[in-house]
């Protein structure tokens, strides 16, 4: 027993020095024999994939995490940072080749897809055991749930609300709008006082900008009936919402021709150049604006997206989960890491450093209590009006096809009416849902 | 036979007109204008890239022709936090490996295809070109599985071999043309003089096809240097990543760090230029009067 | 060795059919002839031995994956199949879906063909012109010029595309502000990226700018193999520069033109990044799809690898066909 143990430990040490293909999925690494000591994993290495760019101080952060992890479990951490842009490809080839890591950060819109093919482990039992069932942000849990199982641990979330030029609002005596009519009035007043400003650009390449208005009018993207999904974007309510949203550009002239092809990054760039009055933007942007353009400090504000007549319009709740790969042979160790990252001090620190919200409700409430004016509106949006897109891998295909963006751009460029574009989009979506 | 190999066209043999001086002053002026236009056209985007990299307000540049200031912070952060030191080293290894391997393999293949007539010669040529025709994205998973089976994943060597395969079609086709342009008589004469095939190869053939080797090595270098998707999927450890992967790091999911992107791009551009400056000395005429007249 | 001297243009011109035996390796009596099989008295294995390293690399690395691509193209292969490793045969359904998509024929292919045509013609013309120009310069300035155009090639395609996109930004770009200064338009009112023609004009500029150095360097290398006295002799005979180009330079450079044109065509057909990164080019504007973007959106972006493989097979066959057409019509077969 002793000799086998030593051999196993040495073996894993050697492997951990990176002689084999990285990624412990399946082939590499032999586990220490048995789970005799559930909390002592000395000699093992956990491979983790984290997405690049969320936290500017990620390196220092993970140094601390590695040290704490080693202290708690005796095991080593190997963190590999992946660029977002091609992360999906990387996951796919890893799944294909059996080189998946133990734990990975998975975008909320991917979790369902990977869970559906059995790549991710069901964490619901572990969550219940840890007593965290009621302490997780519902929107994030929703996007990780498939057929009753929870396949991703909520880690951090972001939500989109309206970021605006508080200085311009104040100068023109405008209040943050609380309904769609007030929104139009605010944009009108803004334009009157500042003719060169684009009051409310409608970014054609931003699907998440349109969703609040579809949802706010009572419409939806798609509904599930048993096992099948059907598109709802051409329903009267959805079309009403779309008409309002695109009407801001086509009827009221609050936008600009350039915005027809703008992604969110372009919208942000225009705002940073001082050309935009209000924009639908994420909770992570105020920090970035101020760091890119220090002059803007104190001049920007945020308010949650107003409802059609009252309340708030739902806004897409995005973010990331931490998923444990089914093929990993270190499930216990992986869960220890996941729990460490998503709850308690590390989750809190990550939220602060990255500008996103933690996935643990108690932590989120702490953030809300701080009542930071740049954070509170987003927190309110998230808690009261955060929503996820249809949780089905088929919706991932629809996003890949850019159905919503196509719809928006054809309306904004004038090549289709709202109803026509919505009908085309709905037909497109139904084709995918039906396949 | 060494008299046959002279490598500078401007050293005019006796009897030739010295062409160093243009006949009309207008020609010199026209050439200057042409060169300036060429430089301006070629360098403008690179200028924009570099000036954005040193611009402290890169994100809000708009139409400003000059940067708002000069800051090296982007470069510092790209090399330090961005880890570009490692990426550069890895990329250089892979690229140089590809250049060396492709030059040798392609030259041998080019000699085979242009000096010999054998069955399937033309089919071979077209088949070799097929490599370039297949869209890369379709090859990712199958090639990934193949490399996994060959145990060549997560290794720079494996990546080099893949890039070799991508660079070979152009290299073989181009060098074939250059080899074909070398008169057989020169080789024959070498054999008559008692030289072995090896000697003939090095002393006669290689110097004469040197410009072709330059063109294909530049192509191989750039192919290996800028390739992204296979590098990303084959390499499992970030310590082995190459520069194109490094560049992607700065494109976040919702935001982009433009200053860093431009600084990283500048860093990516430079080694290619260095490589070119080193090899382009060979981009000169190898075939002159001496070798033809004997 | 004096009797080895052939008339100018004869021994050096691989294009001249008279010099080239069509088959056979036996040396004939005339030493003036280029005996392409001149070394044939060595073993017939020799060419294969020389080819071996190249073929081994290509075969081992790519043959099996290519076979797999064909096999995948006959399946409905998504993430589920990837994860489970199971097959999911659907026969030629993928091909039927692709070829049956009218959008492919009405928009995607025309865009692709016209775009590729424009890019290839401009790239080869500009590259050749630049190569000829550089050839007239002395060593130092030629080096400067060559290095400058290398910069255009060396800048990563992603970065170059973003730079051009910024320059043409409808609101804040250089072009917009220049036009505003001239009084032509009001910035922000015209979005060049939404109209197909202006979109592709900008894309062509981008692709040609990035691609002409490849042609220029390769053609320049080819020009280096033409001895000066050919031109001198022609000049003495009174030939103009234009005539000299077509009678001397172009024929000798035929193989070089062949390879740069074919490769440029192949690449320009497959252009993806430069279109995808442009505003609206990533799938939002259906009018501007080209084959590269369309195939990505229809397949890989949706996780449909079987479909993507089918498109890859079709595209390869198309390009193979184009190559053969090129070889037969534009470039006489004997040269290759």
């Amino acid at each position: 027993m002793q000799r086998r143990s030593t051999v196993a430990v040495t073996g894993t040490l050697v492997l951990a020095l990176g002689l084999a293909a990285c990624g412990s999925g399946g082939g590499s690494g032999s586990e220490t024999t048995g789970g005799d000591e559930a909390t002592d994993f000395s000699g093992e290495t956990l491979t983790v994939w984290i997405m690049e760019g969320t936290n500017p101080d990620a390196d220092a952060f993970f140094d601390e995490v590695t040290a704490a992890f080693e202290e708690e479990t005796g095991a080593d951490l190997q963190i590999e940072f992946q660029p977002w842009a091609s992360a999906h490809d990387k996951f796919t080839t890893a799944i294909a080749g059996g080189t998946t890591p133990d734990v990975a950060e998975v975008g909320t819109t991917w979790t369902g897809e990977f869970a559906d093919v059995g790549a991710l482990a069901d964490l619901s039992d572990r969550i219940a055991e840890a007593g965290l069932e009621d302490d997780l942000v519902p929107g994030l849990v929703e996007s990780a749930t498939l057929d009753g199982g929870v396949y991703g641990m909520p880690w951090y979330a972001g939500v989109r609300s309206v970021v605006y030029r508080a200085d311009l609002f104040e100068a023109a005596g405008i209040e943050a709008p609380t309904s769609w009519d007030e929104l139009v009035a605010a944009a009108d007043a803004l334009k009157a006082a500042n003719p060169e400003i684009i009051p409310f650009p409608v970014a054609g390449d931003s699907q998440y900008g349109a969703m609040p208005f579809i949802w706010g009018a009572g419409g939806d993207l798609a509904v599930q009936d048993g096992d099948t999904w059907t598109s709802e974007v051409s329903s009267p309510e959805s079309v009403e919402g779309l008409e309002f949203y695109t009407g801001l550009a086509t009827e009221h002239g609050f936008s600009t021709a350039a915005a027809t092809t703008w992604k969110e990054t372009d919208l942000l760039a225009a705002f940073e150049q001082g050309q935009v009055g209000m924009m639908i933007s994420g909770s992570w942007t105020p920090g970035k604006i101020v760091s890119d353009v220090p002059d803007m400090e104190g001049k920007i504000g945020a308010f949650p997206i107003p409802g059609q007549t009252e309340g708030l319009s739902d806004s897409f709740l995005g973010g990331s989960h931490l998923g444990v790969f089914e093929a990993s042979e270190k499930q216990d160790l992986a869960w220890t890491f996941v729990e460490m990252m998503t709850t308690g001090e590390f989750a809190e620190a990550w939220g602060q450093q990255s500008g996103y919200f933690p996935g643990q409700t108690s932590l989120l409430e702490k953030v809300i209590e701080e009542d930071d004016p740049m954070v509170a509106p987003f927190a309110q949006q998230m808690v009261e009006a955060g929503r996820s897109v249809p949780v089905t891998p088929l919706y991932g295909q629809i996003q890949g096809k850019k159905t919503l963006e196509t719809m928006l751009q054809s309306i904004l460029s004038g090549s289709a009416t709202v109803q026509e574009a919505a009908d085309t989009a709905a037909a497109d979506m139904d084709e995918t849902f039906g396949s | 036979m060494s008299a046959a190999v002279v490598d500078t066209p401007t050293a005019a043999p006796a009897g030739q007109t010295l062409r160093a001086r243009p006949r009309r002053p207008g020609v010199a002026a026209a050439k200057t204008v042409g060169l300036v236009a060429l430089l301006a056209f070629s360098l403008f985007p690179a200028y924009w890239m570099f000036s954005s990299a040193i611009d402290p307000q890169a994100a809000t540049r708009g139409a400003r022709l000059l940067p708002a200031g000069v800051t090296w912070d982007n470069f510092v952060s790209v090399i330090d936090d961005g880890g570009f030191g490692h990426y550069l080293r890895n990329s250089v290894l892979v690229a140089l490996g590809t250049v060396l391997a492709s030059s040798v393999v392609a030259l041998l293949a080019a000699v085979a295809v242009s000096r010999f007539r054998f069955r399937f010669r033309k089919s071979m040529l077209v088949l070799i070109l097929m490599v370039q025709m297949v869209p890369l994205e379709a090859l990712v998973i199958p090639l990934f599985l193949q490399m996994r089976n060959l145990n060549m994943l997560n290794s720079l060597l494996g990546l080099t071999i893949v890039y070799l395969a991508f660079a070979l079609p152009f290299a073989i086709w181009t060098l074939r043309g250059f080899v074909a342009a070398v008169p057989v008589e020169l080789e024959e004469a070498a054999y008559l003089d008692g030289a072995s095939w090896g000697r003939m190869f090095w002393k006669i053939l290689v110097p004469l096809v040197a410009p072709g080797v330059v063109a294909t090595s530049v192509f191989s270098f750039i192919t290996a240097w800028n390739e992204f998707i296979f590098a990303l999927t084959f390499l499992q450890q970030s310590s082995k990543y190459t520069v194109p992967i490094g560049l992607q790091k700065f494109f976040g999911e919702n935001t982009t760090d433009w200053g860093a992107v431009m600084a990283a791009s500048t860093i990516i551009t430079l080694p290619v230029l260095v490589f070119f400056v080193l090899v382009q000395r060979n981009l000169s005429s190898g075939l002159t009067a001496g070798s033809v007249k004997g | 060795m004096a009797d080895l001297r052939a008339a100018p243009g004869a021994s050096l011109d691989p294009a001249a059919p008279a010099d080239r035996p069509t088959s056979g390796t036996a040396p004939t009596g005339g030493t003036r002839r280029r005996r392409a099989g001149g070394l044939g008295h060595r073993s017939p294995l020799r060419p294969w031995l020389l080819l071996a390293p190249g073929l081994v690399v290509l075969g081992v690395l790519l043959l099996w994956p290519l076979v797999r691509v064909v096999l995948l193209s006959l399946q409905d292969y998504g993430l589920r199949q990837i994860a489970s490793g199971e097959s999911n045969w659907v026969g030629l359904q993928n091909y039927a879906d692709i070829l049956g998509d009218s959008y492919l024929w009405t928009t995607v292919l025309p865009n692709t063909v016209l775009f590729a045509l424009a890019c290839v013609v401009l790239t080869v013309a500009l590259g050749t012109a630049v190569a000829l120009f550089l050839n007239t310069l002395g060593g130092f300035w030629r080096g400067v010029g060559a290095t400058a155009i290398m910069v255009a090639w060396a800048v990563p395609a992603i970065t170059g595309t973003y730079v051009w996109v910024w320059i043409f930004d409808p609101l804040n770009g250089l072009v917009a502000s220049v036009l505003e200064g001239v009084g032509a338009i009001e910035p922000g009112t015209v979005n060049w990226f939404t109209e197909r023609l202006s979109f592709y004009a900008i894309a062509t500029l981008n692709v040609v700018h990035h691609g002409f150095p490849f042609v220029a360097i390769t053609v320049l290398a080819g020009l280096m193999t033409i001895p000066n006295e050919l031109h001198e002799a022609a000049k003495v005979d009174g030939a103009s520069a234009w005539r000299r180009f077509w009678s001397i330079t172009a024929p000798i450079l035929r193989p070089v033109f062949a390879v740069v044109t074919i490769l440029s065509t192949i690449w320009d057909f497959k252009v993806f990044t430069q279109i995808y990164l442009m505003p609206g080019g990533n799938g939002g504007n259906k009018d501007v799809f080209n084959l590269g973007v369309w195939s990505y959106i229809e397949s890989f972006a949706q996780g449909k690898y079987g479909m993507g493989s089918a498109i890859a097979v079709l595209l390869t066959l198309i390009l193979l066909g184009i190559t053969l057409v090129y070889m037969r019509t534009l470039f006489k077969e004997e040269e290759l």
Side-chain angles (χ1 to χ4, degrees):
Chain A
M1 195 66 175
Q2 195 60 25
R3 219 174 112 233
R4 260 182 77 201
S5 202
T6 313
V7 167
V9 169
T10 317
T12 41
L13 270 176
V14 164
L15 285 167
L17 287 173
L19 286 181
C22 194
S24 68
S28 64
S30 38
E31 292 274 300
T32 46
T33 52
D36 317 320
E37 294 144 329
T39 54
D40 181 12
F41 297 93
S42 13
E44 293 192 35
T45 305
L46 196 73
T47 45
V48 179
W49 285 3
I50 301 288
M51 297 297 135
E52 246 338 314
T54 322
N55 180 355
D57 294 319
D59 285 327
F61 178 86
F62 280 106
D63 283 341
E64 279 182 46
V65 170
T66 309
F69 190 68
E70 193 162 356
E71 215 183 293
E72 185 175 327
T73 63
D76 195 19
L77 263 189
Q78 184 162 8
I79 313 265
E80 298 292 345
F81 289 98
Q82 311 294 345
W84 264 114
S86 31
H88 196 272
D89 272 341
K90 186 112 188 166
F91 278 123
T92 309
T93 43
I95 293 175
T99 52
T100 48
D102 296 305
V103 178
E105 173 183 349
V106 184
T108 51
T109 47
W110 295 346
T111 310
E113 187 190 342
F114 295 151
D116 190 49
V117 300
L120 294 174
D122 185 355
L123 302 173
S124 37
D125 287 337
R126 294 187 186 271
I127 293 175
E129 240 177 78
L132 291 168
E133 264 177 317
D134 298 320
D135 197 17
L136 298 175
V137 174
L140 284 179
V141 176
E142 197 190 329
S143 47
T145 307
L146 196 71
D147 292 336
V150 178
Y151 293 91
M153 184 65 178
W155 186 19
Y156 66 85
V159 72
R160 287 158 177 82
S161 297
V162 179
V163 174
Y164 71 106
R165 291 288 300 275
D167 57 336
L168 295 181
F169 267 47
E170 204 182 310
I174 313 172
E175 296 263 322
T178 56
S179 76
W180 288 6
D181 286 335
E182 283 183 27
L183 184 63
V184 175
D188 269 327
L190 201 56
K191 187 148 198 177
N194 309 278
E196 284 102 46
I197 279 273
I198 308 169
F200 194 104
V202 177
D205 202 15
S206 162
Q207 50 174 318
Y208 299 122
M211 287 180 197
F213 296 95
I214 296 177
W215 286 328
D220 204 349
L221 297 169
V223 287
Q224 186 175 22
D225 182 18
D227 263 344
T228 45
W229 288 82
T230 338
S231 170
E232 281 282 302
V233 281
S234 54
S235 72
E237 296 87 4
S238 302
V239 170
E240 194 187 328
L242 279 172
E243 270 173 355
F244 175 76
Y245 181 54
T246 54
L248 293 171
T250 53
E251 277 176 45
H252 297 277
F254 294 145
S255 180
T256 167
T260 308
T261 46
W262 276 358
K263 305 186 203 33
E264 285 188 14
T265 42
D266 303 312
L267 191 50
L268 183 60
F271 189 92
E272 284 181 351
Q273 302 213 29
Q275 296 163 316
V276 170
M278 299 182 262
M279 64 167 177
I280 305 258
S281 194
S283 43
W284 51 88
T285 48
K288 177 148 172 69
I289 295 173
V290 167
S291 89
D292 278 346
V293 187
D295 274 347
M296 285 235 172
E297 177 132 31
K299 295 189 188 161
I300 55 177
F303 58 82
I305 306 176
Q308 195 170 16
T309 47
E310 52 164 13
L312 303 179
S313 289
D314 284 343
S315 177
F316 174 65
L317 187 67
S320 289
H321 300 123
L322 276 180
V324 177
F325 277 87
E326 185 71 39
S328 166
E329 292 179 356
K330 306 184 178 119
Q331 298 277 326
D332 291 326
L333 188 59
W335 172 250
T336 312
F337 173 75
V338 168
E339 206 179 344
M340 182 187 270
M341 289 282 293
T342 56
T343 59
E345 59 164 292
F346 281 118
E348 201 177 340
W350 182 264
Q352 281 164 357
Q353 290 172 16
S354 64
Y356 284 86
F357 295 112
Q360 195 181 6
T361 318
S362 43
L363 288 177
L364 181 58
E365 280 164 1
K366 260 173 88 173
V367 170
I368 295 177
E369 268 160 36
E370 279 163 31
D371 209 21
D372 180 338
M374 285 317 309
V375 168
F378 294 107
Q380 187 188 4
Q381 179 90 56
M382 186 163 147
V383 169
E384 289 176 31
R387 190 160 163 177
S388 106
V389 293
V391 184
T392 158
L394 295 172
Y395 196 74
Q397 281 185 27
I398 289 170
Q399 285 185 311
K401 264 207 288 195
K402 302 272 184 187
T403 313
L404 278 186
E405 293 89 337
T406 308
M407 176 180 70
L408 285 174
Q409 285 182 37
S410 58
I411 299 173
L412 291 171
S413 64
S415 48
T417 65
V418 180
Q419 187 68 54
E420 280 169 7
D423 286 334
T424 314
D428 219 18
M429 285 169 77
D430 282 332
E431 202 187 312
T432 307
F433 282 136
S435 60
Chain B
M1 285 313 293
S2 54
V5 180
V6 183
D7 64 355
T8 151
T10 53
Q16 294 296 318
T17 324
L18 199 59
R19 295 186 50 206
R21 226 178 318 203
R23 298 205 198 104
R24 305 183 297 276
V27 173
K31 283 192 189 176
T32 315
V33 170
L35 188 60
V36 168
L38 183 64
L39 291 181
F41 178 66
S42 306
L43 296 175
F44 187 66
Y47 162 74
W48 201 267
M49 166 186 80
F50 179 65
S51 49
S52 297
I54 55 176
D55 191 336
Q57 295 169 28
T60 56
R61 185 178 178 160
R64 270 202 315 263
L65 271 181
L66 293 174
V70 176
T71 170
W72 299 103
D73 287 349
N74 288 322
F75 285 98
V76 168
S77 84
V78 160
I79 297 180
D80 278 345
D81 305 331
F84 255 76
H86 286 132
Y87 303 151
L88 280 172
R89 186 202 62 203
N90 294 332
S91 276
V92 166
L93 287 175
V94 169
L96 286 182
T98 308
V99 166
L100 247 56
S102 69
S103 302
V104 170
V105 173
L107 195 50
L108 294 178
V111 168
V113 169
S114 58
R115 283 284 187 253
F116 297 88
R117 290 275 187 228
F118 53 96
R119 287 192 75 190
F120 304 125
R121 196 181 63 104
K122 294 215 192 75
S123 322
M124 280 293 116
L125 271 177
V126 175
L127 270 180
I128 290 172
L129 201 57
M130 257 183 74
V131 174
Q132 283 279 343
M133 296 180 196
V134 184
L136 284 190
E137 184 79 47
L139 276 178
V140 172
I141 291 183
L143 198 51
F144 179 83
L145 294 174
Q146 177 80 334
M147 296 296 278
R148 187 201 55 177
N149 294 339
L150 294 173
N151 255 321
M152 285 205 285
L153 278 185
N154 198 33
S155 79
L156 294 180
L157 178 64
L159 205 57
T160 307
I161 297 177
V162 172
Y163 293 159
L164 172 63
F166 291 140
L168 276 180
F170 171 68
I172 294 178
W173 271 60
T174 305
L175 287 176
R176 188 212 61 82
F178 281 83
V179 171
V182 173
V184 184
E185 290 81 3
L186 286 178
E187 293 184 34
E188 307 268 304
Y191 295 130
L192 285 178
D193 273 1
S196 68
W197 187 85
R199 221 179 137 202
M200 183 282 301
F201 185 76
W202 282 110
K203 291 288 185 190
I204 311 284
L205 197 62
V206 168
L208 290 178
V209 299
V213 176
V214 168
T216 55
S217 5
V218 170
F219 176 82
S220 304
F221 191 93
I222 291 190
T223 301
W225 190 255
N226 281 327
E227 200 286 322
F228 170 70
I229 193 71
F230 289 106
L232 176 76
T233 44
F234 285 19
L235 299 172
Q236 311 283 345
Q237 289 164 284
S238 56
S239 59
K240 298 209 173 126
Y241 281 174
T242 54
V243 291
I245 305 176
L247 181 61
Q248 288 292 328
K249 283 170 61 141
F250 304 107
F251 291 97
E253 202 201 6
N254 295 308
T255 55
T256 306
D257 185 352
W258 289 113
V261 165
M262 292 297 138
S265 302
T266 309
I267 294 177
I268 293 177
T269 308
L270 288 175
V272 180
L273 293 178
V274 168
F275 178 76
F276 180 71
V277 166
L278 288 177
V279 297
Q280 65 111 8
R281 277 174 303 171
N282 291 307
L283 201 64
S284 57
S285 178
L287 194 62
T288 69
S291 61
V292 175
K293 290 196 182 103
Chain C
M1 281 187 349
D3 63 354
L4 288 177
R5 177 178 178 230
S11 68
L12 298 164
D13 180 3
D19 283 339
R20 190 174 281 243
T22 50
S23 66
T25 56
T28 62
T31 49
R32 282 181 188 232
R33 298 234 157 176
R34 283 204 55 206
R35 288 165 301 153
L39 297 167
H41 59 279
R42 288 183 167 77
S43 93
L45 268 174
R46 181 162 282 241
W48 293 102
L49 284 175
L50 290 171
L51 265 182
L55 287 183
V56 163
V57 168
L58 289 171
V60 167
L61 268 190
L62 293 168
L63 204 60
W64 179 232
L66 281 178
V67 168
R68 279 220 87 192
V69 169
V70 173
L71 291 177
L72 283 180
S73 72
L74 301 171
Q75 301 183 44
D76 181 5
Y77 208 78
L79 192 60
R80 181 178 295 273
Q81 285 71 32
I82 288 177
S84 63
E86 287 162 14
S87 305
N88 186 10
W89 301 99
V90 293
L92 297 173
Q93 185 60 39
N94 288 329
Y95 292 98
D97 288 340
I98 296 164
L99 295 172
D101 187 354
S102 65
Y103 179 61
L104 170 68
W105 301 101
T106 57
T107 311
V108 177
L109 275 182
N111 282 349
T112 307
V113 170
L114 291 173
F115 176 59
L117 190 65
C119 286
V120 171
V121 167
L122 288 174
T123 308
V124 174
L126 181 61
T128 308
V130 168
L132 290 170
F133 175 64
L134 287 180
N135 200 26
T136 66
L137 301 176
F140 174 71
W141 290 110
R142 190 175 65 224
V144 166
T147 309
I149 66 178
M150 269 311 291
V151 173
W153 194 6
V155 170
I158 298 178
T159 312
T161 307
Y162 279 122
V163 168
W164 287 111
V165 165
W166 288 349
I167 291 175
F168 282 95
D169 186 302
L171 195 58
N172 294 314
L174 188 61
V175 170
S177 74
V178 163
L179 288 178
E180 183 193 20
V182 176
I185 59 149
E186 172 110 17
T189 51
V190 180
N191 189 344
W192 299 288
F193 299 107
T194 48
E195 289 303 310
R196 190 184 346 193
L197 206 56
S198 44
F199 181 92
Y200 271 107
I202 299 173
T204 307
L205 178 58
N206 181 10
V207 170
V208 169
H209 187 273
H210 195 249
F212 88 91
F214 161 67
V215 176
I217 299 285
T218 309
V219 171
L220 184 61
L223 288 172
M224 292 293 160
T225 64
I226 303 176
N228 287 332
E229 49 291 332
L230 282 185
H231 284 282
E232 295 300 318
K235 268 198 215 162
V236 164
D237 281 351
S240 71
W242 184 250
R243 193 140 180 265
R244 271 183 284 132
F245 176 75
W246 288 108
S247 319
I248 302 178
T249 315
I252 293 184
L253 288 186
R254 265 234 166 99
V256 172
F257 282 130
V259 64
V260 298
T261 310
I262 293 177
L263 272 178
S264 292
T265 307
I266 292 175
W267 293 337
D268 291 337
F269 245 82
K270 293 190 331 185
V271 168
F272 171 73
T273 304
Q274 284 92 335
I275 304 283
Y276 191 75
L277 293 182
M278 283 175 69
N282 62 356
N285 186 353
K286 291 266 180 259
D287 286 339
V288 299
F289 272 13
N290 78 337
L291 205 48
V293 174
W294 178 82
S295 65
Y296 180 76
I297 296 278
E298 283 299 307
S299 60
F300 300 110
Q302 299 181 45
K304 295 184 184 169
Y305 296 93
M307 179 75 90
S309 302
I311 297 178
V313 169
L314 284 176
L315 185 53
T316 306
L317 289 174
I318 293 178
L319 292 173
L320 205 54
I322 293 180
T323 304
L324 291 174
V325 165
Y326 264 138
M327 282 167 63
R328 247 159 249 267
T329 62
L330 295 180
F331 304 103
K332 287 184 289 192
E333 260 203 81
E334 291 105 9
E335 288 133 46
L336 294 173

